[in-house]
Amino acid sequence: MLSRRRVLQGAALVAAGSAIRAAHGWAQNQLVAGQAPVAATNSGLVRGFIDEDVLVFKGIPYGDDTAKRRFQPPVRPAPWVGIRDAVAFGPQSPQQPRTRKNRSTFSPLDEISPVSSEDCLHLNVWTAGLRDNRKRPVMVYVHGSGYTSGSSNGPIYNGVRLVKRGDVVVVTLNHRLNLFGYLYLKELGGPEFADSGNVGQLDLVLALEWVRDNIAEFGGDPRRVLIFGQGGGGAKCATLMAMPKAKGLFHRVATMSGSQITVASPERATATAKLVLAGLGLTRANMANLKDPAKLSMEKLVASIHTSNYFGPVRDARSVPRDPFAPGAPSLSANIPMILGTTHDETRLSIGETDASLFTLQWEQLPTHLEKYRPLLGDLKTDEIIALYREWYPSYSASDVFFAATTAFQAWRGSLIESERRATQPRGAVRSGGGLTWVYEFDWKSPVEHGKWGASRSMDLPFLFDNAQLTASMTGGGLVAEQLAGQMAASLITFADTGDPNNAAIPKWPRYDLTQRATLCWNRTSEVKNDPRSNERKLFASVAYVQPGT
């Protein structure tokens, strides 16, 4: 016999469903010239705004407040009544404030007035039309700054230009980070924490389910979804490629300076969790306090985040059953076309932003600074590395050698390995044989601050978003930057549309293989080069790669 509570719950669900269906019908007639656009989602109506003739919706909830479900998989938001304004970004995931010792106007990933909250599962949509059956390609961006910080709430991710250039739908989002998204507690807290090490990834899965279920309302095609991300966002995309729960939710992938060869083992992740619990004064006996905001505030959890601790996906035999790209590329996503990109001078920003002295190194100082990265150098001697770089690049300064070498054995290695493993997947695994993979290197050097930053990490982002002018503090603006942004954005749009980035704006871009290693080098004049920086690639190929933190 059904209880009265069950009957009431069922009635509430039926009423909510009827209200949403009625909202869909009502919204059909609400897109009127000059009025704020209104769209119907599976949770209720949202009202956006118009920016340069593009319809924009910001801060749409795709998941419920995670404070209610700490360290648990996310759930959909409760339906709401009436029209919810979607005109401002939602909060970012709880995190420690970002600091830079070498701060300058060259700050590509800074957010606008960031607000942190556990109620952070929100996304943003840019589109040219609602309910018009145009079936536009969908471009879902996953933000970077590792797994510990960052958000999508910055001007660099503005989707207006992409929509106007290619008639696509752009989606950006926030999700749980650091210990809120990746603290593995299963071994310490039991089955109720079974998914805790990967809830940040499960947030992304829920966001992609929202896209699947709602994007047609925004004029998008749920069967042509590109996920793309830079830095940590690229690593998150690589991890999604090996997650069974994400299968079928996306159909192309592009990663920029972000890779995930291995994830944390349960043993390593449990050791990190023990350190966090000890810092909070918690034991197995009172671990339940972790889930209760009234007993353990968000602020106390944020204060316990230490940069020395690695937070990221965990090989938990559930959501992430295997290492994403070890020992090979995941067969789960072998048929999905993929672009992998890096920048020529990655570490000028990723390392140089924290220490201004690295830009004025003397030769006698260089060995000491390289030696700090000993785990990534294997048996290679720093003196030998320096001697080879001076032979290959006689015009390089000591600082130039430092940034070139750290780029080669750090950021570049992971993307290179992923490219190679995609290229060597079994021929029968992909249509027409061979890997569906394209590789690029961003070589254009920013003129900002007398060229100090070069083609640094993140520099490709404003070009791929077609926002070179909007982010002139990074790019310097100007006609050359504008033209290059047009090429790169057109290629990404074409890739989202067809699964192949080739278009009339660029040279013929071959797929990547181990014979030619064709790489599109973006620059003032973009060109395809075979095996660029082969000397550096071969030098570090002898060193076993270790994914930082895992």
Side-chain angles (χ1 to χ4, degrees):
M1 179 179 294
L2 289 175
S3 67
R4 182 173 182 273
R5 181 179 180 185
R6 281 287 180 87
V7 171
L8 291 175
Q9 285 178 333
L13 288 172
V14 170
S18 299
I20 291 172
R21 286 191 292 274
H24 274 273
W26 182 87
Q28 293 288 335
N29 302 314
Q30 295 307 305
L31 191 57
V32 180
Q35 292 187 2
V38 175
T41 74
N42 55 10
S43 295
L45 294 170
V46 290
R47 179 190 291 114
F49 63 97
I50 300 175
D51 185 0
E52 298 184 31
D53 297 325
V54 173
L55 312 181
V56 184
F57 299 81
K58 293 183 177 180
I60 302 175
Y62 68 86
D64 202 6
D65 183 352
T66 64
K68 303 174 185 176
R69 295 178 55 82
R70 277 185 179 170
F71 311 111
Q72 304 297 313
V75 296
R76 292 181 177 182
W80 56 82
V81 177
I83 305 176
R84 180 182 181 125
D85 282 332
V87 297
F89 289 124
Q92 65 183 12
S93 174
Q95 58 193 271
Q96 292 185 336
R98 299 181 67 199
T99 59
R100 284 193 177 97
K101 297 178 182 178
N102 189 26
R103 200 175 190 89
S104 72
T105 56
F106 192 88
S107 305
L109 301 183
D110 282 351
E111 295 81 30
I112 297 177
S113 302
V115 175
S116 295
S117 170
E118 292 185 74
D119 187 9
C120 61
L121 304 188
H122 298 83
L123 53 76
N124 318 295
V125 181
W126 288 261
T127 184
L130 299 176
R131 301 175 292 276
D132 56 6
N133 295 315
R134 289 291 298 273
K135 299 189 185 305
R136 299 169 176 87
V138 183
M139 305 173 70
V140 180
Y141 181 73
V142 182
H143 74 76
S145 294
Y147 292 94
T148 303
S149 61
S151 84
S152 65
N153 297 358
I156 197 171
Y157 313 119
N158 188 302
V160 167
R161 296 268 299 183
L162 282 176
V163 170
K164 296 186 76 170
R165 180 176 290 278
D167 196 22
V168 294
V169 179
V170 177
V171 179
T172 66
L173 58 97
N174 290 339
H175 67 103
R176 279 176 286 184
L177 301 168
N178 50 68
L179 60 82
F180 290 90
Y182 300 97
L183 185 64
Y184 182 68
L185 298 164
K186 178 184 177 182
E187 309 302 329
L188 303 175
E192 65 177 318
F193 291 104
D195 295 298
S196 58
N198 291 305
V199 293
Q201 291 298 122
L202 294 176
D203 291 347
L204 299 178
V205 171
L206 184 64
L208 291 171
E209 290 176 346
W210 186 97
V211 169
R212 178 197 63 197
D213 298 339
N214 293 280
I215 210 64
E217 170 77 359
F218 296 85
D221 185 353
R223 296 171 300 178
R224 282 188 299 165
V225 176
L226 161 72
I227 59 171
F228 67 120
Q230 185 275 336
K236 296 163 194 172
C237 290
T239 303
L240 286 169
M241 293 173 74
M243 293 179 62
K245 291 183 179 180
K247 184 175 175 59
L249 297 176
F250 58 91
H251 314 93
R252 300 92 162 87
V253 181
T255 63
M256 297 82 76
S257 306
S259 57
Q260 195 76 49
I261 309 301
T262 57
V263 293
S265 67
E267 295 77 16
R268 174 66 184 265
T270 298
T272 297
K274 287 179 178 178
L275 291 174
V276 171
L277 294 180
L280 291 167
L282 297 177
T283 64
R284 295 190 185 211
N286 60 357
M287 270 188 63
N289 291 349
L290 274 172
K291 299 189 299 181
D292 188 348
K295 295 180 179 178
L296 189 60
S297 70
M298 180 190 83
E299 290 75 16
K300 286 185 178 179
L301 285 173
V302 169
S304 69
I305 300 169
H306 300 291
T307 56
S308 58
N309 290 335
Y310 172 79
F311 296 105
V314 183
R315 194 174 62 250
D316 65 355
R318 291 170 61 86
S319 302
V320 183
R322 55 158 283 173
D323 287 316
F325 274 81
S331 59
L332 188 69
S333 50
N335 286 308
I336 294 180
M338 185 178 188
I339 291 175
L340 295 106
T342 56
T343 66
H344 188 275
D345 308 316
E346 293 272 354
T347 57
R348 281 186 173 269
L349 183 67
S350 60
I351 297 177
E353 67 174 346
T354 63
D355 187 352
S357 69
L358 294 173
F359 291 90
T360 57
L361 285 179
Q362 301 303 307
W363 289 110
E364 61 270 18
Q365 298 172 307
L366 183 54
T368 300
H369 282 277
L370 286 177
E371 198 61 36
K372 295 176 182 178
Y373 299 90
R374 172 47 56 193
L376 300 177
L377 297 178
D379 295 329
L380 296 175
K381 303 291 192 297
T382 53
D383 288 343
E384 295 174 356
I385 294 171
I386 294 168
L388 286 170
Y389 270 86
R390 296 191 75 171
E391 176 186 337
W392 296 332
Y393 311 109
S395 65
Y396 276 17
S397 67
S399 293
D400 292 335
V401 170
F402 173 81
F403 289 125
T406 51
T407 290
F409 65 66
Q410 199 176 45
W412 187 37
R413 280 295 307 280
S415 292
L416 181 61
I417 291 169
E418 287 188 357
S419 302
E420 292 172 339
R421 291 179 180 175
R422 283 273 299 183
T424 56
Q425 280 190 294
R427 281 188 171 272
V430 294
R431 61 179 182 270
S432 74
L436 294 169
T437 306
W438 291 263
V439 172
Y440 78 74
E441 177 180 282
F442 187 85
D443 289 347
W444 184 84
K445 298 183 185 299
S446 170
V448 170
E449 297 186 38
H450 306 289
K452 169 183 178 179
W453 302 102
S456 67
R457 187 178 184 86
S458 308
M459 179 54 68
D460 45 352
L461 271 180
F463 293 85
L464 289 165
F465 270 91
D466 202 9
N467 285 330
Q469 301 302 326
L470 185 63
T471 56
S473 63
M474 282 183 71
T475 68
L479 181 60
V480 173
E482 182 75 10
Q483 291 174 338
L484 180 55
Q487 290 182 355
M488 294 182 66
S491 301
L492 191 63
I493 288 167
T494 302
F495 183 63
D497 184 17
T498 68
D500 186 320
N502 280 284
N503 64 94
I506 64 171
K508 174 64 178 177
W509 187 359
R511 294 181 188 178
Y512 189 85
D513 61 41
L514 297 188
T515 302
Q516 301 296 327
R517 297 182 182 269
T519 303
L520 180 56
C521 296
W522 299 110
N523 212 328
R524 180 182 292 265
T525 300
S526 299
E527 60 179 320
V528 173
K529 297 180 182 180
N530 289 335
D531 202 7
R533 295 186 291 162
S534 61
N535 46 10
E536 299 177 65
R537 174 182 64 79
K538 293 173 183 176
L539 173 64
F540 293 108
S542 63
V543 180
Y545 180 76
V546 178
Q547 181 87 36
T550 65

